Amino acid sequence: MSNWSDRVAEIDSFKVMDLLKRAKELDALGHDVVHMCAGEPDFATPEPVSEAGIAAIRAGHTQYTPAAGIPPLREAIAGFYKERYGLDIPAERVIVTAGASGALLMVFATLANPGQRFMMADPGYPCNPRFLRLLEARGQLIPVDAGDNYQLTPELIEQNWDAQTAGVLLASPANPTGSVVHREQLELISQTVRAKGGHLVVDELYHGLTYGFDATSVLEVDQDAFVLNSFSKYFGMTGWRLGWAIVPESAVGEIERLAQNLFISPPTISQYAALEAFNPETTAILEQRREAFRERRDLLVNGLRELGFDIPLMPEGAFYVYADASHLTDNTFDFCWELLEQDKVAVTPGIDFGDHRANQFIRFSYTTGIGQIEKALSRLRHRLNR
């Protein structure tokens, strides 16, 4: 009989990782699998960034750094906010972290006491409430639909706030829906949360991956909000495990103290590599990739709609399509596994992203090329016409 903790027993597997594991097993057996399940760009890290990482190793930058990150990178991130958003963010408010996951853990640990809850949209990124569970807090999942733009609204926050609610977590652009909270709505949400005496945390991991416009940072409307971001998505540095948080000045000491105890420091080589993420040569590469993602999105959405999937809102950002498959199957979990085993297309069932109508939805990730998307649509068409 095992003696594992209750908190571990209550954390479910991340279904997309189960599917990805099986898809890679099929790859190893020689099958031609179309990978559309993981939220990882197929593009390699931009060459200037990789070269900077190699140079850092050769220069001997392989020891611990300050817990909040090397000063040049904190300053570069602050400069990025000045250039992209017109914001003057002191570098001291930038905390470099071991991936955005490290940032999320420390922010939740700072803001949520045991028994308290953070309000978040259902569907949403599944690991968010699991971080809270580790802290003996909870996620307060609020069902949202296309009519809400798949996002929390001021009205939903007002209606669902209770004595245990510590704050609100938004994701803009969101995983799995690709929806964006625009400036006017951010202002209203900020005002609502402030009036309740709560904290506002915004996941901005997919900033830079919006199509036809640039997303608003919550810091443009609320300097007391906590921002989470990452070098994984727009910057294409998933395996480097590097992210950051922008926190109010009053929280810097608390977050830095947690970083010292939990992580010692962010990955050193990754930090030196990331210094090149903001140079003009790298930005040009990233903007070309952004256009490629837009083309993939358009192809995938149009193709899925032709096959009978219901996609009421065009995803505005990230690289996901959250498609209603209820006209095609009454069990998307089984459908996704059958699609992988029989048709060699890897996509993610909605059950990974919450409870609300979850078994009606499938998340398609357009992190693979045009040819692979066309192949996936062809295989889907063959399955649905059997």
Side-chain angles (χ1 to χ4, degrees), residues 96-114:
V96 183
T97 60
S101 296
L104 182 65
L105 176 62
M106 292 191 292
V107 167
F108 274 163
T110 302
L111 302 181
N113 284 316

Side-chain angles (χ1 to χ4, degrees), residues 74-75 78 87-94 223 246-247 249 252:
R74 297 173 77 183
E75 291 164 5
L87 294 169
D88 291 310
I89 304 295
E92 293 74 21
R93 290 179 56 194
V94 178
Q223 281 288 313
I246 310 289
V247 306
E249 185 176 350
V252 169

Side-chain angles (χ1 to χ4, degrees), residues 144-167:
V144 295
D145 290 296
D148 309 304
N149 191 33
Y150 294 115
Q151 292 281 358
L152 294 179
T153 65
E155 294 77 18
L156 286 171
I157 294 169
E158 183 75 40
Q159 292 164 13
N160 290 280
W161 196 280
D162 60 31
Q164 284 72 49
T165 306

Side-chain angles (χ1 to χ4, degrees), residues 114-126:
Q116 290 188 309
R117 305 190 298 173
F118 251 81
M119 197 181 298
M120 57 192 71
D122 178 358
Y125 180 59

Side-chain angles (χ1 to χ4, degrees), residues 133-342:
R133 176 63 188 93
L134 284 174
L135 300 167
E136 304 300 335
R138 291 290 189 273
Q140 184 181 356
L141 275 62
I142 306 302
V144 295
D145 290 296
D148 309 304
N149 191 33
Y150 294 115
Q151 292 281 358
L152 294 179
T153 65
E155 294 77 18
L156 286 171
I157 294 169
E158 183 75 40
Q159 292 164 13
N160 290 280
W161 196 280
D162 60 31
Q164 284 72 49
T165 306
V168 168
L169 173 67
L170 300 178
S172 177
N175 175 11
T177 61
S179 63
V180 172
V181 184
H182 293 280
R183 185 184 185 99
E184 296 79 7
Q185 195 78 331
L186 275 174
E187 288 181 311
L188 292 172
I189 289 173
S190 171
Q191 293 166 10
T192 302
V193 174
R194 188 186 299 273
K196 295 293 184 182
H199 301 286
L200 179 59
V201 180
V202 183
D203 165 350
E204 297 184 353
L205 270 67
Y206 295 94
H207 271 224
L209 293 174
T210 50
Y211 308 108
F213 66 99
D214 289 324
T216 298
S217 172
V218 69
L219 296 175
E220 297 178 58
V221 302
D222 185 350
Q223 281 288 313
D224 290 326
F226 289 73
V227 166
L228 312 172
N229 211 323
S230 172
F231 287 95
S232 291
K233 307 303 182 180
Y234 175 66
F235 296 99
M237 295 177 64
T238 49
W240 299 80
R241 304 312 306 135
L242 198 67
W244 74 83
I246 310 289
V247 306
E249 185 176 350
S250 58
V252 169
E254 280 68 23
I255 297 285
E256 192 165 2
R257 191 164 66 249
L258 282 173
Q260 293 166 347
N261 282 275
L262 295 177
F263 299 105
I264 307 298
S265 71
T268 301
I269 296 160
S270 301
Q271 292 184 68
Y272 282 95
L275 288 171
E276 289 300 310
F278 303 109
N279 74 33
E281 181 184 357
T282 303
T283 299
I285 294 169
L286 298 176
E287 287 301 303
Q288 289 173 357
R289 294 178 177 184
R290 180 183 189 177
E291 177 59 22
F293 281 127
R294 186 195 62 77
E295 293 174 0
R296 295 175 182 187
R297 177 202 63 174
D298 294 348
L299 172 66
L300 181 59
V301 169
N302 291 335
L304 291 174
R305 283 172 170 167
E306 289 175 2
L307 291 173
F309 291 88
D310 184 16
I311 306 167
L313 300 177
M314 175 66 84
E316 292 187 292
F319 32 59
Y320 309 112
V321 178
Y322 197 58
D324 185 343
S326 58
H327 299 305
L328 307 172
T329 178
D330 59 3
N331 188 325
T332 56
F333 181 80
D334 290 345
F335 182 89
C336 288
W337 277 103
E338 290 169 4
L339 189 63
L340 176 59
E341 296 289 351
Q342 298 175 19

